[in-house]
């Protein structure tokens, strides 16, 4: 199972997220749940970097572990854009969880 944890600060803003595990919906290379969750997470990270010029701190392992930490941002407009991208990621992951909840769980 894929476990997603969304970490928020006291203001409710996302400051990091982690994903760990494997969905085991199908064999590696054909697992649409893993592929979908990975595409959403990495698409968000790449969008934050490309569109906001913010470089998240990443930790990744071959066993299916990913941690993304958003650095402290001084520019409120950039921070708002990063938050919008992260909240969009949460909505996309929740959509996957809705249909494939036995293979992925989100905790926030």
């Amino acid at each position: 199972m894929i476990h997603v944890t969304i970490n928020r600060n006291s203001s409710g803003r996302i400051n990091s997220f982690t994903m760990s595990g494997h969905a085991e919906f199908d064999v590696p290379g054909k697992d649409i749940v893993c592929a979908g969750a990975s595409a959403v997470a990495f698409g968000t990270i790449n969008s934050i970097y490309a569109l906001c010029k913010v470089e998240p701190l990443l930790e990744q392992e071959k066993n299916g572990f990913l941690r993304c930490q958003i650095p402290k941002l001084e520019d409120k407009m950039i921070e708002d854009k990063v938050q919008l991208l992260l909240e969009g990621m949460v909505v996309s992951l929740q959509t996957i969880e809705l249909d494939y909840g036995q293979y992925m769980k989100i905790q926030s």
Side-chain angles (χ1 to χ4, degrees):
M1 177 176 286
I2 298 172
H3 295 278
V4 180
T5 303
I6 308 298
N7 299 300
R8 296 177 183 270
N9 64 21
S10 59
S11 302
R13 292 186 170 262
I14 298 170
N15 55 25
S16 69
F17 69 89
T18 59
M19 294 180 72
S20 62
H22 294 283
E24 298 180 4
F25 175 80
D26 204 340
V27 297
K30 293 185 178 183
D31 193 323
I32 62 170
V33 179
C34 270
S38 294
V40 168
F42 284 104
T44 300
I45 291 166
N46 290 339
S47 294
I48 290 169
Y49 184 74
L51 302 174
C52 302
K53 307 300 184 231
V54 172
E55 190 167 347
L57 306 169
L58 302 177
E59 181 183 343
Q60 188 177 1
E61 298 175 9
K62 289 187 186 257
N63 64 357
F65 178 84
L66 170 67
R67 177 171 168 74
C68 175
Q69 176 77 42
I70 304 303
K72 178 135 177 70
L73 301 172
E74 300 299 326
D75 186 321
K76 175 92 167 85
M77 184 181 288
I78 296 294
E79 183 183 7
D80 287 346
K81 289 178 182 179
V82 169
Q83 286 301 306
L84 184 61
L85 290 167
L86 289 167
E87 292 294 352
M89 176 193 75
V90 172
V91 170
S92 294
L93 291 174
Q94 287 171 335
T95 303
I96 295 170
E97 181 186 36
L98 187 63
D99 290 335
Y100 298 98
Q102 67 270 38
Y103 303 101
M104 184 172 83
K105 293 291 181 212
I106 301 170
Q107 177 184 0
S108 56

